C-alpha cells in the first residue's frame, strides 16, 4: 500500500513539474523562426534559416517602441482592437542569415505559452534580368515603365544597364501626344540628366511627337546600372496605356559605333491601382513589404537603386465604387 502511494506521489510530482514547464514555456519554434524568452523578460526572435522577411502575430498589445531591430531591417507594427499585435520585419539589403537575431521585444514576459498566434517567413531570390522595361533591367538603355493620374504632371525615367566605353549618346524618344505632352518648362527643355550624365554636354530637340537627346563627354564613360535621364511631361485627360518608343546610338571616343540595345517602355494614364501591391497579387502582404524595403531610403539621382514604383507618397482615396475606402 505504501509503495502504491509512493508511486502515485511520484506520478503527481512528474505531472506537476511537466505542467509547470509547459506554463513557463521558454521557447517557441517553427521551421523558420525561434522565439526565445530571455531572463530579463524580453523576447528574442531568431532566424532558423536564411530569410528575407517575417510576419508574426502575438496575443499581446506591444508598443512599436518596445520592438528593436537592426539598422538593415524595417518593421511595421500594428495593434488590433482584440489586443493582438502584428509584427512584420524585412531586410532592406541582404537576407537575414540563419542564427541571426531579427528582433528583441522588451517587456516583462514570464511565458511564451499561447503567445504566438501565427508566424510566417519568406525567402525571396532576386530574379535574373529579363528583357523588359522595368526592374530588373536588361542590358542597354530602357524607358522605365510607369503610371500617372490623368491631367497631372509627372516624369518617366531612362535607365542604362552595363553600357561601357561611350563618349557620346544620342537617343530619340517617341510618344503619343494624345496621352502625354513634354513639359519644356522643367529641366533642359523637359529633360534632366541624372548621375553620370549630369557631367555631359546636353542638347535637346523636339518634334510634335518625339524628343531627341544628345549628350557628349570629354572622355569615355561606363555605366553599370543607373538612371540617366528624367523626362518631364503632363498627362492628358485620356486614360489608358501608351507606348514610349526608344531608339538611338552610342559612340566611343574615336566616334566608332557601340553595339547597344534599346528597350521601349509603357506609361499607364489614370485608373485605380492598389497602392503597395508591388507583386500584383491583388493584396498587400509580406512579399510586398520586402520589395518596398529594398528601395527604402533611395533618392532619385542619389545613392541607392531608386525605383519610382516604390515612391508611393502621397496616397489618396480617389476612386469610388468597389475602390471606395482604398488608397488608389
Amino acid at each position: 500500500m505504501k509503495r502504491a502511494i509512493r508511486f502515485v506521489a511520484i506520478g503527481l510530482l512528474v505531472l506537476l513539474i511537466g505542467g509547470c514547464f509547459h506554463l513557463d514555456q521558454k521557447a517557441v519554434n517553427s521551421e523558420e523562426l525561434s522565439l526565445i524568452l530571455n531572463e530579463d523578460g524580453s523576447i528574442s526572435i531568431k532566424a532558423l534559416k536564411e530569410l528575407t522577411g517575417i510576419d508574426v502575430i502575438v496575443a499581446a498589445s506591444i508598443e512599436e517602441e518596445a520592438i528593436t531591430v537592426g539598422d538593415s531591417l524595417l518593421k511595421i507594427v500594428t495593434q488590433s482592437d482584440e489586443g493582438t499585435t502584428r509584427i512584420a520585419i524585412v531586410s532592406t539589403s541582404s537576407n537575414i542569415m540563419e542564427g541571426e537575431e531579427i528582433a528583441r521585444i522588451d517587456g516583462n514576459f514570464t511565458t511564451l505559452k499561447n503567445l504566438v498566434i501565427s508566424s510566417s517567413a519568406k525567402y525571396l531570390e532576386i530574379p535574373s534580368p529579363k528583357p523588359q522595361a522595368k526592374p530588373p533591367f536588361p542590358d542597354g538603355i530602357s524607358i522605365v515603365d510607369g503610371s500617372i493620374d490623368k491631367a497631372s504632371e509627372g516624369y518617366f525615367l531612362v535607365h542604362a544597364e552595363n553600357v561601357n566605353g561611350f563618349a557620346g549618346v544620342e537617343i530619340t524618344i517617341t510618344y503619343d501626344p494624345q496621352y502625354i505632352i513634354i513639359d519644356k518648362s522643367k529641366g533642359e527643355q523637359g529633360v534632366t540628366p541624372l548621375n553620370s550624365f549630369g557631367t555631359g554636354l546636353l542638347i535637346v530637340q523636339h518634334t510634335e511627337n518625339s524628343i531627341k537627346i544628345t549628350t557628349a563627354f570629354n572622355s569615355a564613360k561606363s555605366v553599370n546600372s543607373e538612371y540617366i535621364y528624367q523626362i518631364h511631361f503632363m498627362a492628358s485627360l485620356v486614360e489608358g496605356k501608351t507606348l514610349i518608343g526608344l531608339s538611338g546610338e552610342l559612340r566611343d571616343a574615336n566616334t566608332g559605333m557601340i553595339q547597344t540595345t534599346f528597350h521601349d517602355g509603357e506609361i499607364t494614364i489614370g485608373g485605380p491601382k492598389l497602392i503597395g501591391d508591388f507583386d500584383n497579387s491583388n493584396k498587400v502582404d509580406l512579399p510586398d513589404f520586402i520589395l518596398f524595403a529594398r528601395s527604402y531610403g533611395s533618392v532619385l539621382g542619389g545613392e541607392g537603386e531608386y525605383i519610382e514604383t516604390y515612391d508611393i507618397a502621397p496616397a489618396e482615396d480617389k476612386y469610388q465604387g468597389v475602390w471606395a475606402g482604398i488608397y488608389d
Side-chain angles (χ1 to χ4, degrees):
M1 182 66 178
K2 290 182 179 180
R3 179 177 296 179
I5 293 174
R6 188 161 54 248
F7 279 132
V8 171
I10 293 173
L12 289 173
L13 181 61
V14 170
L15 287 174
L16 181 60
I17 293 173
C20 289
F21 178 78
H22 188 64
L23 290 173
D24 193 27
Q25 192 171 347
K26 301 294 184 182
V28 174
N29 295 328
S30 67
E31 291 185 3
E32 301 95 356
L33 299 175
S34 178
L35 277 74
I36 302 169
L37 180 61
N38 301 312
E39 292 184 358
D40 62 359
S42 65
I43 298 173
S44 294
I45 304 177
K46 293 188 176 182
L48 297 180
K49 59 174 61 175
E50 186 177 356
L51 303 170
T52 313
I54 67 168
D55 191 356
V56 178
I57 301 177
V58 296
S61 182
I62 302 173
E63 297 296 329
E64 182 176 359
E65 294 76 15
I67 303 171
T68 304
V69 300
D71 293 338
S72 64
L73 302 176
L74 280 183
K75 65 179 179 182
I76 294 179
V77 179
T78 55
Q79 297 175 335
S80 71
D81 295 336
E82 291 75 27
T84 64
T85 303
R86 184 171 187 172
I87 306 167
I89 301 172
V90 299
S91 171
T92 60
S93 53
S94 59
N95 283 334
I96 301 165
M97 303 308 296
E98 179 180 349
E100 181 179 343
E101 183 175 82
I102 303 171
R104 182 174 289 258
I105 305 173
D106 293 330
N108 297 311
F109 297 96
T110 58
T111 181
L112 298 183
K113 182 183 179 183
N114 299 327
L115 180 67
V116 181
I117 298 175
S118 68
S119 68
S120 63
K122 293 287 184 181
Y123 171 77
L124 295 185
E125 292 184 352
I126 303 300
S128 301
K130 299 177 181 179
Q132 55 184 7
K134 57 185 177 181
F137 294 103
D139 289 347
I141 298 181
S142 305
I143 300 292
V144 182
D145 292 345
S147 60
I148 189 173
D149 293 329
K150 63 181 181 180
S152 61
E153 298 180 359
Y155 61 85
F156 60 85
L157 296 167
V158 182
H159 187 275
E161 186 85 9
N162 294 326
V163 180
N164 301 305
F166 59 88
V169 176
E170 184 171 88
I171 63 172
T172 299
I173 298 171
T174 57
Y175 57 91
D176 186 346
Q178 179 183 0
Y179 288 94
I180 69 171
I181 298 174
I182 302 300
D183 187 355
K184 300 178 184 178
S185 67
K186 292 185 171 62
E188 179 66 30
Q189 291 289 303
V191 178
T192 299
L194 303 173
N195 299 305
S196 301
F197 277 59
T199 62
L201 175 64
L202 178 69
I203 299 176
V204 179
Q205 298 172 286
H206 291 272
T207 69
E208 182 181 358
N209 67 336
S210 71
I211 177 172
K212 180 182 288 187
I213 307 170
T214 306
T215 302
F217 301 93
N218 292 329
S219 58
K221 297 277 187 180
S222 292
V223 167
N224 180 25
S225 180
E226 67 181 39
Y227 296 101
I228 58 176
Y229 298 117
Q230 184 180 31
I231 313 299
H232 304 274
F233 70 93
M234 294 176 287
S236 71
L237 292 171
V238 180
E239 292 191 340
K241 294 182 178 180
T242 182
L243 179 70
I244 308 296
L246 181 64
S247 60
E249 62 181 43
L250 275 68
R251 294 185 179 270
D252 60 26
N254 296 317
T255 71
M257 189 79 73
I258 299 174
Q259 186 67 33
T260 308
T261 305
F262 296 87
H263 305 274
D264 300 337
E266 188 177 69
I267 303 295
T268 302
I269 311 295
K273 50 188 178 293
L274 181 60
I275 290 181
D277 181 20
F278 303 120
D279 62 357
N280 298 316
S281 64
N282 295 320
K283 61 180 178 180
V284 180
D285 52 8
L286 182 59
D288 297 302
F289 188 26
I290 292 171
L291 294 171
F292 172 80
R294 292 297 164 93
S295 290
Y296 181 78
S298 62
V299 178
L300 178 63
E303 295 183 359
E305 180 66 9
Y306 174 86
I307 300 175
E308 186 182 7
T309 301
Y310 305 116
D311 189 354
I312 58 177
E316 299 178 4
D317 180 17
K318 292 186 176 181
Y319 292 85
Q320 300 304 307
V322 296
W323 286 88
I326 300 174
Y327 286 105
D328 44 29

